[in-house]
């Protein structure tokens, strides 16, 4: 096909045939335009169809929102890769390039690359098991691959983890050796409050327990909180521990609110929270 096209482009030696070139450009150009328009239409429609199908399946099987988003992102990525491959093949066919030899060459090239790209294969295999075993899902708070943050996307090759300072980390799946998922089950809210050695411990326990009882009505708590008692004896304070269980990702806000309320309650009861003091001794001659 390419040889016949080249032969038609030249007439009687080196005389260039513009008619053949124009005809080829018009015919091939129209095919390319139609293919690109079809791609621009099919991609968003296919993406919406995939998302709708997964949402429907999630409702039927009571799949969690995080799992739903994870499946959506993986399915849409796979759909995009397949559609892009089909687009490239159709564009090559539109310009009269034989696809068969290219596919055969691509198979040989892919085999050669496979031996050298063992890391890529490891990424894909690890990503597959991360999805199947549901170790992490979108919106989970995890520690994985040396990063700590909230999962934004679980892909076949990489996983995206957003740190709490806003940094988006792209973690190759092969680097995720172990996963600490902090979003499975209830979380622990722990507050340590120190009082002075001269204060009445029983009175302080009663004041703190009263505050804890008020927080027991907070919807964020699923259990407690309760005053456990004296946790330790510091250099200048007696440490009292308060512990409760909260909903996922609510523990930090709850701890901040409890510290504020307990500080105000201790101040109202004239119970001192010790702080470092400095004593200056001046010698007179």
């Amino acid at each position: 096909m390419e040889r016949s096209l080249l032969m038609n482009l030249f007439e009687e030696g080196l005389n260039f045939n513009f008619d053949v070139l124009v005809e080829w450009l018009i015919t091939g150009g129209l095919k390319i335009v139609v293919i690109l328009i079809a791609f621009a239409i099919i991609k968003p429609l296919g993406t919406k169809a995939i998302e709708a199908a997964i949402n429907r399946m999630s409702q039927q099987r009571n799949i969690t929102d995080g799992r739903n988003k994870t499946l959506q992102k993986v399915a849409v990525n796979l759909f995009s890769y397949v559609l892009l491959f089909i687009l490239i093949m159709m564009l090559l066919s539109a310009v009269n390039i034989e696809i068969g030899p290219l596919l055969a060459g691509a198979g040989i090239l892919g085999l050669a690359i496979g031996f050298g790209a063992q890391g890529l294969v490891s990424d894909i295999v690890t990503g597959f098991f991360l999805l199947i075993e549901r170790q992490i899902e979108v919106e989970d708070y995890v520690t994985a691959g040396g990063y700590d943050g909230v999962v934004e996307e679980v892909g076949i090759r990489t996983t995206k983890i957003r740190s709490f300072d806003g940094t988006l980390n792209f973690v190759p799946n092969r680097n995720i050796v172990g996963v600490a998922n902090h979003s499975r089950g209830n979380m622990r809210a722990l507050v340590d409050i120190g009082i002075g050695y001269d204060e009445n411990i029983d009175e302080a326990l009663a004041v703190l327990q009263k505050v804890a009882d008020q927080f027991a009505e907070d919807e964020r708590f699923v259990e407690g909180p309760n005053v456990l008692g004296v946790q330790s004896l510091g250099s200048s304070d007696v440490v009292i521990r308060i512990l409760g269980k909260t909903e996922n990702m609510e523990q930090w806000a709850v701890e901040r609110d409890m510290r504020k309320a307990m500080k105000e309650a201790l101040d109202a009861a004239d119970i001192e929270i010790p702080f470092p003091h400095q004593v200056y001794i001046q010698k007179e001659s």
Side-chain angles (χ1 to χ4, degrees):
M1 182 66 70
E2 294 179 9
R3 179 175 296 181
S4 61
L5 176 61
L6 290 175
M7 292 177 62
N8 291 333
L9 284 176
F10 294 93
E11 293 179 343
E12 299 179 358
L14 296 179
N15 295 327
F16 195 77
N17 190 341
F18 286 98
D19 293 337
V20 174
L21 177 61
V22 171
E23 180 182 356
W24 178 77
L25 289 176
I26 293 175
T27 305
L30 286 176
K31 291 181 180 179
I32 292 175
V33 170
V34 172
I35 292 172
L36 293 177
I37 292 175
F39 177 80
I41 295 174
I42 293 174
K43 189 175 188 303
L45 290 178
T47 300
K48 290 182 179 180
I50 291 173
E51 292 175 350
I54 294 178
N55 285 332
R56 186 166 54 252
M57 181 188 67
S58 299
Q59 294 176 357
Q60 294 174 350
R61 301 185 181 183
N62 294 324
I63 296 176
T64 63
D65 185 60
R67 182 66 173 173
N68 179 24
K69 293 180 179 178
T70 301
L71 293 175
Q72 284 187 17
K73 289 183 179 295
V74 172
V76 169
N77 285 338
L78 289 176
F79 171 72
S80 299
Y81 293 147
V82 173
L83 195 61
L84 181 61
F85 176 78
I86 295 175
L87 173 66
I88 293 174
M89 293 297 101
M90 293 183 68
L91 289 177
L92 293 176
S93 177
V95 295
N96 297 325
I97 296 179
E98 295 293 337
I99 300 177
L102 288 177
L103 292 177
I108 299 174
L109 180 62
L111 182 62
I113 293 176
F115 287 106
Q118 297 181 6
L120 177 61
V121 176
S122 178
D123 287 337
I124 295 174
V125 172
T126 304
F128 175 77
F129 283 106
L130 286 175
L131 294 171
I132 294 299
E133 297 176 358
R134 300 180 61 181
Q135 298 179 22
I136 57 178
E137 295 178 355
V138 175
E139 295 184 352
D140 280 355
Y141 164 41
V142 301
T143 300
Y147 297 95
D148 187 76
V150 178
V151 178
E152 288 201 353
E153 182 176 332
V154 182
I156 295 298
R157 193 180 67 84
T158 60
T159 296
K160 299 178 183 179
I161 300 177
R162 177 81 64 177
S163 300
F164 290 107
D165 63 355
T167 303
L168 182 59
N169 306 290
F170 295 82
V171 185
N173 289 334
R174 65 179 178 273
N175 292 343
I176 304 178
V177 179
V179 177
N181 194 321
H182 309 290
S183 296
R184 301 291 171 86
N186 299 322
M187 302 304 293
R188 185 180 69 171
L190 186 148
V191 175
D192 287 337
I193 296 289
I195 63 172
Y197 274 98
D198 295 334
E199 302 299 332
N200 188 310
I201 295 179
D202 292 332
E203 180 184 358
L205 292 174
V207 170
L208 294 177
Q209 185 60 55
K210 184 177 180 180
V211 176
D213 292 340
Q214 295 173 356
F215 274 92
E217 301 177 0
D218 194 316
E219 295 180 352
R220 295 172 294 180
F221 274 100
V222 297
E223 181 181 326
N226 294 300
V227 178
L228 300 183
V230 177
Q231 174 65 20
S232 63
L233 301 176
S235 59
S236 60
D237 61 349
V238 177
V239 179
I240 299 174
R241 173 159 293 182
I242 302 91
L243 182 65
K245 291 185 178 180
T246 70
E247 297 285 350
N248 286 329
M249 306 299 288
E250 297 288 350
Q251 64 272 22
W252 299 297
V254 165
E255 289 176 354
R256 290 191 294 268
D257 293 341
M258 288 177 62
R259 291 189 185 96
K260 179 178 181 295
M262 290 179 176
K263 168 65 167 61
E264 293 172 350
L266 291 175
D267 289 343
D270 293 327
I271 298 177
E272 179 188 4
I273 298 178
F275 56 91
H277 292 75
Q278 292 182 342
V279 178
Y280 296 92
I281 300 176
Q282 183 177 359
K283 292 184 179 181
E284 296 182 357
S285 58

